Structure formats: C-alpha cells, structure tokens
Amino acid sequence: MTADPISPGRKRVLLAKPRGYCAGVDRAVQTVEEALKLYGAPVYVRKQIVHNKHVVTTLEERGAIFVEENEEVPEGSTVVFSAHGVAPEVHEQARERNLKAIDATCPLVTKVHHEAKRFAADDYDILLIGHEGHEEVIGTAGEAPAHIQLVDGPDDVENVVVRDPAKVVWLSQTTLSVDETMETVARLKTRLPLLQSPPSDDICYATSNRQHVIKEIAPECDVVIVVGSTNSSNSVRLVEVALGAGARAGHLVDYASEIQEEWLAGATTVGVSSGASVPDDLVMEVLAHLADRGFGEVTEFTTAEERLTFSLPQELRRDMKAAAASKKAAAVVD
C-alpha cells in the first residue's frame, strides 16, 4: 500500500494499524483488573503484567502490587503471573506458599511451552531463538532446561552444539523480529540441514502484523515514532524494523511528552505506531502532540484486521462465576 504523493511543505502523519493491545495483553490486563474487583486490593503480580510503564503504573494506582518473586508475596495471598509465562518451578513455589495463583500467560506463549515439553519428551535438542534474560525465554526454557539452549540472534548460531543433528528443532520467543528470526533459522539450517521447525509460527500474529504495517509506511517517513517501553521486546523491534525498511529516523517513547522537537525539524511525514502492550489513548496523545506542531493530517494505514480474543484464566472465571451465583442467591433470600 502506497501513500498519496505529498506536496512540498505539507505535513502529515501515517498511522499504522494494527497497533497497540493484542489479545494476550488485553487478557492479562483485564485479569488484574477483574481480580482487584473480585478479591479486593491488594492483588500481587509477579513481574510486570505486561511490559508497559503506563499500564503498570495505572494498575498500581488501583491496588496491584508488583513483585519480582513469589517469596515477596504474603502467604495465602493472591498472585497473578504475567503474560510472558513462567517456568514450572514458579507454580510449585506458589503452591508451597499457599498462594492463590492466577496464570495470565498469553495462550500463544503457552503454545510454545507445550511444544517445548513435547519435543523434550521425544528427546530432541531444542534451539530456542530469543533474547537472553527475557522473561518469556526464562519461562519457556524452564519447561525443559536439559533440552533447551538459547540462540540469541544470527551471530549466536556458531555457538550451537547438539547431540544428534537428526533430532533438533527450533522454537522462538513470540515477540522477535520476523526477518531476524528467519535469518537465524537460515544460518542454523546451513549448519544443521535436518533442523525441524515448530508445527506453527511461534512469533505471534500481533508482532508479525505490527512489523508488516511498519514496513509499508517506513520508506515514506522522515521519522517513525513508536509508543512503547524500552523493556518491551516487540516495541523495540518495531523501531528496528522501521529503520531497516527505510525510515530516516526512529524513536521509542512512553509518552508524547518525550518527543523531542529536533526529531520533527524539517520533517514532513511522521509514522506512528505502538507496541502490543500499549493502550491506544497514549497513541492519541502522540497524535495530539503532533497536531499542535502542524502534523494535523492523519492517514491510517491498515494491513490486517485483528479479531482474536482470549477468555480470562479459568481460575478467575471459576471464582467470578461462584461470586455471581452467591450474589444471586443472596438477592433471592432478601
């Protein structure tokens, strides 16, 4: 899709769609919100529920307490596990502390966990493509630590060692650059021709869709502004993809107030998108900020429609149903 020709001096914004919340993030944030309503504050959350500064701050204001590990949660309390997933040992720790655990892991991350367990059960070496230290990678690797080794990008391929080149499969973190991941896989296959692929794409639909639309608009942009936090892998990747696709400059911001005036100096076309953990009101604030500086013309570029939704975690749904039944029974008695 190509934008209309631009006349000299005319300022405009190319607004990417899809952008912002994906189904997994929406489910995770809603899980904490509903848990606060149902159980009351505080509700503890292990790690950031999603990687977005604004979302975390907003939930803290409503009574969520974010911790790094289960041991920081008082025994018997409610704890929500983040959208990025956790290793089995984290569930075991919660049971030992008698915590009421609600697992908000994105179902697409859970799919990768199941793949890891299945291939490990068949005694495969598993090459997990991802970023060292990322919570999702830690959680997935924890499913089969004896079988999984991390491959942190194309340059890490030379460090791979496997037991049997005929029994090796690759899996990936769900929020990576699609192009870089495929480059990593190509290098792996050069070394390991019998390398197997996952049954279906591990990089999630939302990550792929957001990168695709950025590629479409980037060549026409003097600068691309991505709304997202620095610890959000998919947000960081969007800036990288924009620059790789031809944008003259790219920047990541949490809030409109972080946009620097020099970024816009001499620019006529600004691209705007947001990571999969970003509420759209933050994007609207960026558009208002740009409009105040003459970029009032906004063209939304749509390359896909996203309709996927995920139901809330079963533990939470069960308690919500019980609470509703109890309330109904009490109303009948009255």
Side-chain angles (χ1 to χ4, degrees):
M1 190 180 297
T2 304
D4 296 331
I6 183 168
S7 57
R10 172 181 152 206
K11 294 182 176 181
R12 62 175 181 170
V13 173
L14 301 183
L15 178 61
K17 184 180 178 181
R19 64 180 180 275
Y21 270 15
C22 63
V25 164
D26 191 40
R27 172 183 186 262
V29 174
Q30 190 180 351
T31 293
V32 179
E33 292 172 341
E34 293 296 333
L36 285 165
K37 291 178 191 175
L38 185 62
Y39 309 121
V43 166
Y44 293 85
V45 184
R46 184 184 179 275
K47 306 293 186 181
Q48 292 189 0
I49 186 66
V50 296
H51 286 159
N52 183 263
K53 184 187 297 185
H54 177 78
V55 170
V56 169
T57 300
T58 301
L59 291 174
E60 283 178 330
E61 291 169 352
R62 296 181 185 179
I65 297 177
F66 291 86
V67 299
E68 285 300 304
E69 299 297 344
N70 285 337
E71 61 196 37
E72 300 172 57
V73 182
E75 290 197 20
S77 299
T78 298
V79 62
V80 178
F81 296 148
S82 80
H84 308 103
V86 298
E89 64 183 28
V90 176
H91 288 278
E92 182 57 36
Q93 292 165 358
R95 285 190 288 269
E96 291 172 356
R97 293 185 61 78
N98 193 31
L99 303 180
K100 182 179 187 60
I102 299 172
D103 190 355
T105 300
C106 173
L108 299 180
V109 174
T110 299
K111 176 185 80 72
V112 181
H113 283 219
H114 289 326
E115 290 170 352
K117 288 187 285 188
R118 180 164 66 84
F119 282 109
D122 291 336
D123 200 30
Y124 273 74
D125 279 344
I126 301 167
L127 306 181
L128 178 59
I129 302 172
H131 297 303
E132 186 171 6
H134 191 279
E135 288 158 39
E136 184 184 327
V137 165
I138 293 169
T140 301
E143 294 288 359
H147 290 264
I148 292 177
Q149 60 181 296
L150 180 66
V151 182
D152 196 343
D155 293 339
D156 201 24
V157 169
E158 62 186 29
N159 299 318
V160 169
V161 177
V162 300
R163 295 169 298 158
D164 181 354
K167 290 197 72 172
V168 58
V169 63
W170 70 270
L171 304 177
S172 83
Q173 183 181 329
T174 63
T175 55
L176 301 179
S177 160
V178 175
D179 291 343
E180 183 177 296
T181 300
M182 290 302 100
E183 181 185 348
T184 303
V185 171
R187 292 196 190 184
L188 284 170
K189 287 186 174 179
T190 298
R191 290 195 57 198
L192 301 163
L194 299 179
L195 177 70
Q196 293 189 35
S197 299
S200 60
D201 287 345
D202 284 347
I203 295 178
C204 86
Y205 76 97
T207 297
S208 299
N209 287 346
R210 281 148 190 72
Q211 290 178 18
H212 179 67
V213 67
I214 277 288
K215 285 183 181 178
E216 290 289 315
I217 66 174
E220 301 188 47
C221 295
D222 298 301
V223 58
V224 169
I225 295 172
V226 175
V227 186
S229 295
T230 55
N231 64 336
S232 167
S233 176
N234 77 88
S235 299
V236 173
R237 300 290 85 72
L238 284 177
V239 177
E240 294 173 353
V241 169
L243 293 171
R248 264 70 81 193
H251 303 281
L252 184 67
V253 299
D254 271 296
Y255 300 102
S257 59
E258 296 173 8
I259 297 173
Q260 298 180 25
E261 296 301 323
E262 55 263 33
W263 297 351
L264 306 177
T268 54
T269 301
V270 177
V272 174
S273 186
S274 59
S277 52
V278 177
D280 211 43
D281 57 342
L282 297 183
V283 177
M284 295 304 107
E285 290 174 7
V286 166
L287 295 182
H289 181 96
L290 292 173
D292 288 343
R293 286 150 182 80
F295 294 87
E297 179 185 331
V298 179
T299 302
E300 188 170 66
F301 272 68
T302 304
T303 55
E305 295 290 344
E306 295 179 348
R307 297 185 175 87
L308 183 65
T309 59
F310 295 129
S311 59
L312 292 171
Q314 60 180 359
E315 310 95 331
L316 182 59
R317 282 186 282 121
R318 183 179 60 241
D319 287 356
M320 291 172 69
K321 185 176 180 181
S326 177
K327 185 176 181 181
K328 184 176 180 181
V332 170
V333 172
D334 290 342

